[in-house]
C-alpha cells in the first residue's frame, strides 16, 4: 500500500512546506504549521475534469477586449434587505462568493434565513445546513414568522453531494452553513481542518463561478475575533462580512472587510428582536439616546462609515489614579492611539493626565476605525478632566497630528449636513472642512491647532 503524502501548511498565510518547522518563513508566524494529507493525483484529475477552469464556464477560454465585456449578462439583484445590499455594494452579483463570519449567537443563520426566505419568493434558492437538522431550521423559521413556502432545504456535509444537488435544482442563491463542517471526500482529514476548509471552499467557489450562483458561506471565528481556518480562505472569496454585536446587546453591525464589488468598511446596522433581525434605516438616531441633563465627558462626533456619515457619542472619564501606572482603557477605539493623543494633549494643550486614569467608550458598541474621531476624543477628555459639560447641540470631528495641528478629513461638508439634520447647531471642525456657504441654523467653528479648539469650548 502506497504511503499517503502529506504537507505542512501555515494557518495564517497558506504557505506550504515539506516538513514541519517552528516558524513560517513566509509570514514569520510561530507554531502555525499544520499537517495535511494530500489527495492523490487520480482524484485530483477527476475533480479537475468535472469542473474544468475556475472563473467561468466553457472549455475554451476566449480572449476579448475589456471594453467588449457585456455587463448586462450579470446584473445585480436585490436581496430584500437594504442594509445587506448596502454592505454588499448595491446588491447580489451572480457568481460571487460571500463569506459571513461572527461569534456564536451573533445572528448569522438568522440573517441568512430571513434573506433566503425573501429571495425564495422571487427565484430559486437553496439553503444547506450542516450543523442543524431540518426540523431545527423549520422551528427557527416559525419563530421568525417568515414565509418559507418556496425555500429548498438540504441537510448535508459532503461538498460533492451539495454541488450535485445544486446542479439539478439550479438555484440562483446558495447558502452553506457552515464551511467548517463541510468535507471533501478526496481529502483524508477531519472536517474543520486546514485542508478540508481550503478544499471545500475552493470546490464551492469554483461551482459558483461557473454556474453564476450567488454563494453564501458561514464561517466561525476564533477567540480573538478573526475568521477560523486558513488565511487563504479569505483570498478565495469575493466578499468577507463580519457580523458583530454583544450577545446581551440589542443591535448588530454588519461590516465588510473585503469587497470586490463595493466599498470596504461599509456598515449595516440591525436590531435583534423576537422576530429576528430588523433593519435600522437611520443608525445615527439609535446611537444618540443621550440624557436630558448634559454630563461632563460626553460629546457627539461624526464618523464616515463606508458611503454614509454616522453620528455616535463618545464618553470619557478622567479620574485620579491611585496606582503607579495609571490605566488607559479604550472601548471601540484604538488603545495605542489614545495613548498618543494624550501625549499630544500634554505637549500642545498644556493638560497633564500622567497621574489620571483615562477611560473612553463609544456608545452603542460601534468600533471607530478612522482618525476623524481624534479631536472629539480629546475634547471629551478635557471636558471630564475640567468637570464641565459641553453643549448638547455641539458636534466635533477632525484628525489631530503629533505637532498639535488639526488636519482635515474626507467628506467634511456631508458630515456637517448630517449633523444639521439631527438638530445640532454648533460644530468644531478643521478649518479646511468649513463649508464655503454657511448652513442655516448651524454655527461652524474652524480650527487649525489644538489650542484653538480648547479655546473654542
Amino acid at each position: 500500500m502506497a504511503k499517503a503524502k502529506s504537507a505542512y501548511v501555515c494557518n495564517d498565510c497558506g504557505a506550504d512546506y515539506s516538513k514541519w518547522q517552528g516558524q513560517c518563513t513566509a509570514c514569520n508566524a510561530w507554531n502555525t504549521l499544520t499537517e495535511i494529507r494530500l489527495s492523490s493525483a487520480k482524484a485530483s484529475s477527476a475533480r479537475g475534469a468535472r469542473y474544468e477552469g475556475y472563473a467561468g464556464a466553457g472549455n475554451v477560454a476566449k480572449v476579448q477586449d475589456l471594453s467588449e465585456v457585456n455587463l448586462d449578462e450579470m446584473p445585480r439583484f436585490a436581496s430584500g434587505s437594504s442594509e445587506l445590499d448596502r454592505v454588499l455594494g448595491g446588491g447580489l452579483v451572480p457568481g460571487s462568493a460571500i463569506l459571513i463570519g461572527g461569534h456564536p449567537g451573533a445572528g448569522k443563520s438568522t440573517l441568512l434565513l430571513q434573506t433566503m426566505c425573501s429571495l425564495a419568493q422571487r427565484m430559486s434558492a437553496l439553503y444547506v445546513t450542516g450543523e442543524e437538522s431540518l426540523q431545527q431550521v423549520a422551528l427557527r423559521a416559525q419563530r421568525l414568522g417568515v414565509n418559507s413556502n418556496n425555500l429548498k432545504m438540504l441537510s448535508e456535509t459532503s461538498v460533492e453531494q451539495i454541488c450535485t444537488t445544486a446542479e439539478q435544482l439550479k438555484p440562483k442563491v446558495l447558502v452553506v452553513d457552515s464551511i467548517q463542517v463541510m468535507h471533501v471526500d478526496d481529502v483524508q482529514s477531519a472536517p474543520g481542518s486546514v485542508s478540508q476548509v481550503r478544499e471545500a471552499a475552493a470546490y464551492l467557489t469554483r461551482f459558483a463561478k461557473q454556474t453564476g450562483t450567488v454563494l453564501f458561506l458561514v464561517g466561525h471565528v476564533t477567540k480573538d475575533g478573526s475568521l477560523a481556518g486558513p488565511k487563504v480562505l479569505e483570498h478565495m472569496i469575493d466578499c468577507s462580512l463580519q457580523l458583530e454585536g454583544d450577545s446581551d446587546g440589542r443591535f448588530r453591525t454588519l461590516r465588510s472587510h473585503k469587497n470586490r464589488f463595493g466599498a470596504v468598511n461599509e456598515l449595516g446596522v440591525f436590531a435583534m428582536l423576537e422576530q429576528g433581525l430588523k433593519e435600522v434605516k437611520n443608525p445615527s438616531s439609535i446611537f444618540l439616546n443621550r440624557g436630558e441633563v448634559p454630563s461632563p465627558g460626553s460629546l457627539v462626533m461624526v464618523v464616515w462609515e463606508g458611503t454614509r456619515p454616522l453620528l455616535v457619542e463618545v464618553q470619557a472619564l478622567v479620574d485620579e489614579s491611585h496606582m503607579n501606572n495609571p490605566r488607559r482603557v479604550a472601548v471601540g477605539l484604538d488603545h495605542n492611539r489614545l495613548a498618543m493623543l494624550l501625549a499630544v494633549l500634554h505637549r500642545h494643550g498644556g493638560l497633564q493626565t500622567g497621574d489620571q486614569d483615562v477611560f473612553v467608550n463609544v456608545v452603542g458598541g460601534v468600533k471607530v476605525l478612522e482618525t476623524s474621531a481624534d479631536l472629539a476624543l480629546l475634547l471629551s477628555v478635557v471636558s471630564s478632566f475640567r468637570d464641565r459639560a459641553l453643549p448638547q447641540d455641539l458636534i466635533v470631528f477632525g484628525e489631530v497630528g503629533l505637532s498639535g495641528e488639526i488636519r482635515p478629513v474626507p467628506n467634511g461638508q456631508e458630515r456637517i449636513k448630517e449633523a444639521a439634520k439631527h438638530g445640532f447647531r454648533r460644530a468644531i471642525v478643521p478649518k479646511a472642512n468649513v463649508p464655503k456657504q454657511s448652513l442655516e441654523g448651524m454655527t461652524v467653528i474652524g480650527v487649525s491647532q489644538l489650542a484653538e479648539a480648547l479655546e473654542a469650548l
Side-chain angles (χ1 to χ4, degrees):
M1 181 176 180
K3 183 179 179 181
K5 296 182 179 180
S6 62
Y8 294 87
V9 178
C10 177
N11 293 338
D12 290 349
C13 66
D16 60 284
Y17 303 89
S18 59
K19 61 181 181 179
W20 186 88
Q21 59 190 43
Q23 184 183 27
C24 174
T25 56
C27 64
N28 297 327
W30 288 90
N31 299 323
T32 58
L33 299 188
T34 305
E35 183 181 7
I36 65 171
R37 297 285 186 88
L38 299 178
S39 58
S40 62
K42 181 179 180 181
S44 299
S45 61
R47 187 168 65 247
R50 183 178 183 182
Y51 292 113
E52 193 172 340
Y54 186 85
N59 296 327
V60 180
K62 180 182 177 181
V63 178
Q64 59 183 134
D65 293 339
L66 182 61
S67 59
E68 298 176 355
V69 178
N70 187 6
L71 298 180
D72 297 333
E73 297 178 357
M74 299 180 66
R76 290 178 184 262
F77 57 92
S79 65
S81 172
S82 59
E83 289 295 301
L84 179 59
D85 290 340
R86 174 189 293 274
V87 177
L88 292 175
L92 300 173
V93 178
S96 60
I98 305 166
L99 179 64
I100 298 184
H103 290 281
K108 304 182 294 297
S109 300
T110 300
L111 175 62
L112 288 177
L113 183 59
Q114 293 179 188
T115 303
M116 292 294 285
C117 288
S118 175
L119 289 171
Q121 310 309 316
R122 298 179 281 126
M123 61 189 67
S124 176
L126 176 61
Y127 192 107
V128 180
T129 173
E131 297 182 342
E132 298 176 291
S133 65
L134 298 182
Q135 290 78 9
Q136 291 174 324
V137 179
L139 285 174
R140 184 190 300 117
Q142 184 180 13
R143 176 176 58 86
L144 298 177
V146 295
N147 186 1
S148 57
N149 292 333
N150 300 324
L151 179 60
K152 302 294 188 297
M153 296 294 302
L154 175 65
S155 179
E156 183 60 63
T157 58
S158 174
V159 174
E160 290 88 351
Q161 186 62 37
I162 292 173
C163 292
T164 301
T165 305
E167 285 178 350
Q168 300 172 356
L169 296 177
K170 293 182 173 55
K172 288 190 175 181
V173 186
L174 171 64
V175 169
V176 177
D177 187 5
S178 66
I179 189 61
Q180 272 78 17
V181 300
M182 299 297 155
H183 67 88
V184 179
D185 295 338
D186 297 336
V187 181
Q188 303 299 322
S189 58
S193 61
V194 174
S195 56
Q196 282 286 7
V197 171
R198 182 178 60 180
E199 292 297 327
Y203 200 104
L204 290 168
T205 303
R206 187 184 301 113
F207 171 82
K209 296 291 183 183
Q210 294 185 342
T211 59
T213 305
V214 178
L215 174 65
F216 281 97
L217 298 176
V218 178
H220 298 166
V221 296
T222 58
K223 292 181 180 179
D224 59 354
S226 60
L227 189 70
K231 198 67 177 178
V232 70
L233 176 60
E234 299 183 38
H235 300 313
M236 282 192 250
I237 48 91
D238 300 312
C239 185
S240 177
L241 309 180
Q242 192 80 8
L243 188 62
E244 303 170 344
D246 298 331
S247 58
D248 57 347
R250 182 183 178 187
F251 298 104
R252 302 288 189 270
T253 57
L254 184 66
R255 187 186 298 273
S256 64
H257 295 282
K258 173 188 176 181
N259 193 354
R260 290 174 178 165
F261 312 111
V264 182
N265 283 334
E266 186 66 80
L267 187 71
V269 183
F270 299 86
M272 178 62 79
L273 305 176
E274 293 182 358
Q275 295 77 23
L277 291 172
K278 183 180 180 181
E279 304 172 36
V280 178
K281 301 294 185 180
N282 187 8
S284 297
S285 60
I286 67 174
F287 298 125
L288 294 179
N289 295 327
R290 311 174 71 188
E292 298 180 358
V293 179
S295 58
S298 175
L299 184 61
V300 175
M301 57 185 178
V302 189
V303 297
W304 194 264
E305 293 290 349
T307 58
R308 63 179 173 183
L310 183 65
L311 275 68
V312 294
E313 179 187 358
V314 58
Q315 294 179 335
L317 175 62
V318 181
D319 193 19
E320 183 180 357
S321 178
H322 299 283
M323 305 174 64
N324 294 331
N325 295 322
R327 300 188 64 187
R328 302 286 187 263
V329 179
V331 179
L333 295 162
D334 186 10
H335 177 270
N336 295 326
R337 193 161 189 87
L338 171 62
M340 183 187 71
L341 292 175
L342 292 178
V344 175
L345 182 62
H346 176 217
R347 182 68 178 269
H348 302 284
L351 187 63
Q352 171 65 278
T353 59
D355 57 346
Q356 305 287 322
D357 290 331
V358 180
F359 306 90
V360 294
N361 174 46
V362 179
V363 177
V366 180
K367 292 184 179 179
V368 178
L369 305 177
E370 64 169 355
T371 58
S372 64
D374 293 350
L375 185 57
L377 173 61
L378 287 184
L379 295 187
S380 64
V381 170
V382 174
S383 171
S384 178
F385 182 80
R386 295 177 177 175
D387 197 21
R388 190 176 68 183
L390 298 176
Q392 290 276 72
D393 59 352
L394 173 67
I395 62 105
V396 178
F397 63 85
E399 179 182 353
V400 179
L402 292 180
S403 58
E405 77 278 11
I406 308 299
R407 297 177 176 271
V409 298
N411 308 106
Q413 296 190 15
E414 288 80 357
R415 299 174 194 244
I416 297 176
K417 292 179 181 179
E418 180 69 15
K421 292 179 183 179
H422 288 80
F424 289 87
R425 294 294 174 258
R426 281 180 282 184
I428 299 178
V429 302
K431 184 170 293 186
N433 288 129
V434 176
K436 296 181 180 179
Q437 296 181 354
S438 60
L439 298 177
E440 183 179 357
M442 172 69 78
T443 302
V444 181
I445 303 175
V447 294
S448 59
Q449 295 292 327
L450 179 60
E452 298 180 15
L454 296 179
E455 293 177 0
L457 292 179

